[in-house]
Structures are given as C-alpha cells and as structure tokens.
Amino acid sequence: MAFINDATREAISLLKRRINALEEENTELQGISKSSTKCPDKYLRSGRAIQRLVTLHDRVEDLVNEGDHRACLELEGDTTANSEEQDRLYRGYKQLLRWIPSLKSDLAADSEDYKVKLIMKDLNKAADSAHSDDTAGLKTAVVDWLMSIKPTPELALESHRKDGRGFYHNTTSRLICPMEYDWSNVQHRANIRGFDADYTVTTDSWPRFLYKSEQYDPNNPVKGLFRNDLLVQAFKHIFTSPSLTDSINDIDQEEGTSMEPLPKRQKGLSEKRTRAHVAALLGMKSVDPRAIAYTAVQLRFALSSCNAWCLIDEDFDYIKFYKNILLFFEDTRTIWEKDEISNLLYWWNRSVFGCSNTSVYHPQPVEKMSVASTLRKRCERLAARGELPTV
C-alpha cells in the first residue's frame, strides 16, 4: 500500500469538502429551478413593500417564525405572556400578511424546506433592493430641494457625495439637530460638532426636520410634530413619484395587457401611458404610519454625512428612531390620543393623495345623516301604527 503523507491527506480532505459544497450548491440550484416555474417574479415584486410598510430591519423568517409560534400557542391553549420583543415581531407578522396576503397559504402549500427558504430569500432580497433604491434616489433629490431654498445656502452641497453633509454643513446640521438644542447658537454648534457629552445627538430627541416650520414648543412637544414640508416631500418622492425600478411590472402588465407601445399614429392623448407610482403598485391607498417612519429614517440618513447605510451612525440609532416613531403613532391609549393621531393621518392623507380616501381617518357620523334619519323616521311611524314587520 502506498504511503500517504499529511499533505496528501489534507489535499484529499479539501477535495471532499469542495465536492460536498458543489453538491449542496447543485441541490439549491435545482430548488430554484423547480420553484421558478411556479411564480418567478411574485416575491421579488411583492417583497418591495416589506421595509417600506412592514418593518425596517427584521428578516421575514423572524416574522414568520413568530407567527407560527403564536399559532402553536393558540392550538395548545397556552396563555403564557409574551415578551415585548415577541409582541413587536407578531405585529410585524400581521403587517406582513396585510401587504402580502398570499404568503400564509403559499408557505403552507410549500412544505419542502428548500422552497420555503427560497421564498424567504426572495422576499428579503426584494426588501433590501427597494431600500437601496430609495436611499440612492433620496441622496440626490434632497440636495436639489435644499439648494433651491431661498436664500441659497452659501456652501453648495454635492448630489453624489455625502462627505459635506450632516453636521459639516449648516443647512443639513440645522435639520438633523435635536429640538432641545439651538443650532443658531454658536456654542451649541461647537458643542455638537465637538462631541460634547452634554450635547450628544441620539434618538432620545426628535430632530428638527420632523416639525412644522422647524418650530418646537417645549410646553407642547406634539404641536407640529410630523407636519414638516420636507418630510412630506420625501414621502412623495418615495411613494407617489413614478419609479422606473418599481414599475417594471406596472398596472397594465399585472392586468395581463400587452406592454407593446402603440404605433405613433394610433396613440392619442388619452392613450398615453404613465408609469405607476410605488403606492399604487403596493396597493397603498392611504398614508400608513409605518411608511412615515420609513420615510423619516430615509430622510435623516440622506441628510447625514454617512456614506454607506448602517443601523447606527455614531450615537444615532436608526432602529430605535424607527421604533420611537411607531410608538408615537401606534401606542395610543386614550380617546384624545387616538383622535390626535387620526387628525394627523388625515392631514397626511390630504397632503399626499389630495381629497381622496380621507374617510379612512375621518369617517362621517352616518347615524346622524339623511339616509339613517329617513329610515329611522319610517320605523318610528310604522311602530306608532303597529305595522313593524315581523322576522
């Protein structure tokens, strides 16, 4: 028997590991081939709603696992209290099913593990892709908006570079400055730029760009909050401006009509095609609080000097920022708080979509209106004559 030295043995071992890796890769590719015949673009399209309308940072598998966990507890009759983190994930899971309602049945039908993993992979990939597209678009757009303000900022901002933004530029500095500090105060500016421990910029303070006219009333900190024009402009840029990326499968294509352009001689004014905006493609007909939170995160990042997306920028935690906004909108415990949020969303809806769909947040008192009054009076007359119909 030939002698096998250590080097040869290591080489054989390396080859075996490589063969095993190739076999696993081949199995995965076969799985992709099998599932791609079922719905090739479904999850890559619908997944673009996840970070925009469901959750900023959670992975789809974590949301689904929590949904499965709750279903098991319900079947077993287990009433054990869940943690705050589990409740948060479950709320995200319900939002996920709201925007991708077919997901639950699709996961149940695909019992094979590799197919489920592929679905999760496609959804996460689409979510990350949409986030990247929005980040890139807002990076240049926000400069155009700020440089068009009169008077024009003395120091110009560059559309494709972020090095001079954040606290390196007076305009962007003012917008991301915490409301507790006065950016016009020379000492405050020096303390923030010098990383003074008493002037750290964290998510414990609302940034100025969230407030109407950037005005803050410490005696009424809710006044003007989330009513800033720049924030609304960023929201429209993401959700109601036609998007090349999101409109690859536009409304006409989804309805099964041909995407072939009409000959010039046949195309009239009423026949010109327009790209559908993101809100239409996602089926968002009114402003969702999670979309506001997502926009605020994107705008804050666009104003910062950070070049690559990260969850924590120095002392500023974007996840906590996102959660703080959701807490403001969703954790309403009194009638007054609910009315306040309803009024705010009503304002947002009119600002973004105009006068349509406003009844979502301001339903009319139907019981006091003419139809209800007419029917009620008729019933009263019939009752007075003893002629009410019997069931």
Side-chain angles (χ1 to χ4, degrees):
M1 181 179 292
F3 175 76
I4 299 177
N5 59 27
D6 292 340
T8 304
R9 188 177 293 106
E10 178 62 27
I12 293 172
S13 178
L14 181 63
L15 286 172
K16 286 182 177 179
R17 289 198 298 271
R18 180 58 180 159
I19 291 171
N20 289 335
L22 289 172
E23 288 177 346
E24 290 177 5
E25 185 177 345
N26 182 54
T27 300
E28 183 178 353
L29 289 173
Q30 288 178 352
I32 293 174
S33 177
K34 290 177 182 178
S35 62
S36 63
T37 60
K38 181 180 177 182
C39 43
D41 299 318
K42 176 179 178 180
Y43 299 112
L44 290 175
R45 184 173 64 248
S46 58
R48 295 181 70 83
I50 293 173
Q51 291 193 30
R52 290 162 168 169
L53 296 167
V54 177
T55 177
L56 176 68
H57 63 286
D58 295 306
R59 299 283 86 181
V60 174
E61 50 268 30
D62 294 330
L63 301 179
V64 172
N65 287 341
E66 184 56 36
D68 292 342
H69 171 69
R70 292 299 177 96
C72 290
L73 291 180
E74 187 175 343
L75 286 173
E76 296 170 0
D78 191 335
T79 57
T80 305
N82 296 288
S83 67
E84 183 178 333
E85 177 66 9
Q86 288 175 317
D87 287 339
R88 187 188 64 77
L89 286 172
Y90 188 58
R91 288 194 297 272
Y93 171 71
K94 290 192 289 186
Q95 286 291 324
L96 181 67
L97 295 186
R98 174 188 173 190
W99 295 107
I100 313 178
S102 64
L103 180 61
K104 188 173 183 179
S105 58
D106 288 344
L107 291 178
D110 285 328
S111 57
E112 295 185 51
D113 189 53
Y114 74 87
K115 288 187 177 181
V116 172
K117 287 183 178 178
L118 182 65
I119 291 174
M120 304 294 186
K121 180 180 178 181
D122 284 349
L123 289 173
N124 285 324
K125 179 181 178 181
D128 291 337
S129 175
H131 183 111
S132 296
D133 291 338
D134 294 337
T135 300
L138 209 56
K139 174 183 176 181
T140 56
V142 75
V143 171
D144 295 336
W145 302 337
L146 296 180
M147 296 309 296
S148 66
I149 296 174
K150 303 298 180 183
T152 305
E154 294 181 6
L155 182 63
L157 288 164
E158 297 185 51
S159 298
H160 300 288
R161 292 188 60 184
K162 297 188 67 185
D163 297 342
R165 303 186 195 183
F167 289 109
Y168 299 101
H169 193 283
N170 278 334
T171 300
T172 53
S173 296
R174 187 190 73 249
L175 291 167
I176 65 176
C177 179
M179 295 305 301
E180 284 80 357
Y181 311 142
D182 180 6
W183 187 252
S184 63
N185 185 305
V186 177
Q187 190 58 53
H188 283 200
R189 288 204 302 266
N191 289 339
I192 291 173
R193 285 173 169 166
F195 297 95
D196 188 294
D198 293 328
Y199 286 81
T200 54
V201 179
T202 70
T203 51
D204 293 320
S205 302
W206 295 121
R208 193 171 294 274
F209 73 81
L210 294 181
Y211 278 88
K212 182 178 180 180
S213 303
E214 301 172 32
Q215 298 299 312
Y216 174 67
D217 182 357
N219 296 318
N220 184 11
V222 175
K223 183 180 179 181
L225 183 58
F226 297 109
R227 293 178 185 260
N228 183 277
D229 291 339
L230 185 65
L231 182 62
V232 174
Q233 194 168 7
F235 187 100
K236 289 180 178 180
H237 177 81
I238 293 173
F239 289 99
T240 62
S241 295
S243 167
L244 280 171
T245 306
D246 284 278
S247 60
I248 293 172
N249 297 293
D250 72 1
I251 292 176
D252 289 332
Q253 188 175 7
E254 289 176 2
E255 291 176 352
T257 59
S258 173
M259 287 299 294
E260 291 295 325
L262 292 172
K264 288 185 178 179
R265 62 183 178 80
Q266 295 181 5
K267 188 184 291 185
L269 290 175
S270 62
E271 296 174 312
K272 290 182 179 179
R273 295 184 184 274
T274 57
R275 296 197 303 272
H277 54 61
V278 172
L281 292 169
L282 298 181
M284 186 177 74
K285 298 181 179 179
S286 57
V287 176
D288 188 278
R290 296 189 176 223
I292 298 175
Y294 174 78
T295 301
V297 168
Q298 285 281 13
L299 180 56
R300 207 282 179 185
F301 180 75
L303 294 169
S304 76
S305 60
C306 189
N307 281 294
W309 167 250
C310 57
L311 296 177
I312 299 178
D313 180 7
E314 294 178 345
D315 293 309
F316 194 89
D317 187 331
Y318 282 102
I319 294 179
K320 188 176 179 182
F321 182 50
Y322 180 81
K323 289 179 179 178
N324 285 344
I325 298 174
L326 291 190
L327 194 65
F328 174 82
F329 278 98
E330 297 179 355
D331 187 24
T332 52
R333 306 186 183 188
T334 67
I335 294 177
W336 181 84
E337 290 174 341
K338 294 180 188 297
D339 288 344
E340 185 177 56
I341 296 302
S342 179
N343 289 333
L344 177 56
L345 291 174
Y346 175 72
W347 177 88
W348 264 93
N349 209 56
R350 290 180 67 88
S351 299
V352 174
F353 294 107
C355 298
S356 62
N357 302 321
T358 54
S359 61
V360 173
Y361 304 114
H362 266 226
Q364 294 176 314
V366 176
E367 68 281 356
K368 297 181 180 179
M369 300 182 74
S370 56
V371 172
S373 298
T374 302
L375 297 175
R376 188 166 56 250
K377 289 295 183 184
R378 177 192 291 172
C379 288
E380 290 173 356
R381 287 196 301 271
L382 291 174
R385 296 200 301 263
E387 299 176 2
L388 276 176
T390 57
V391 179

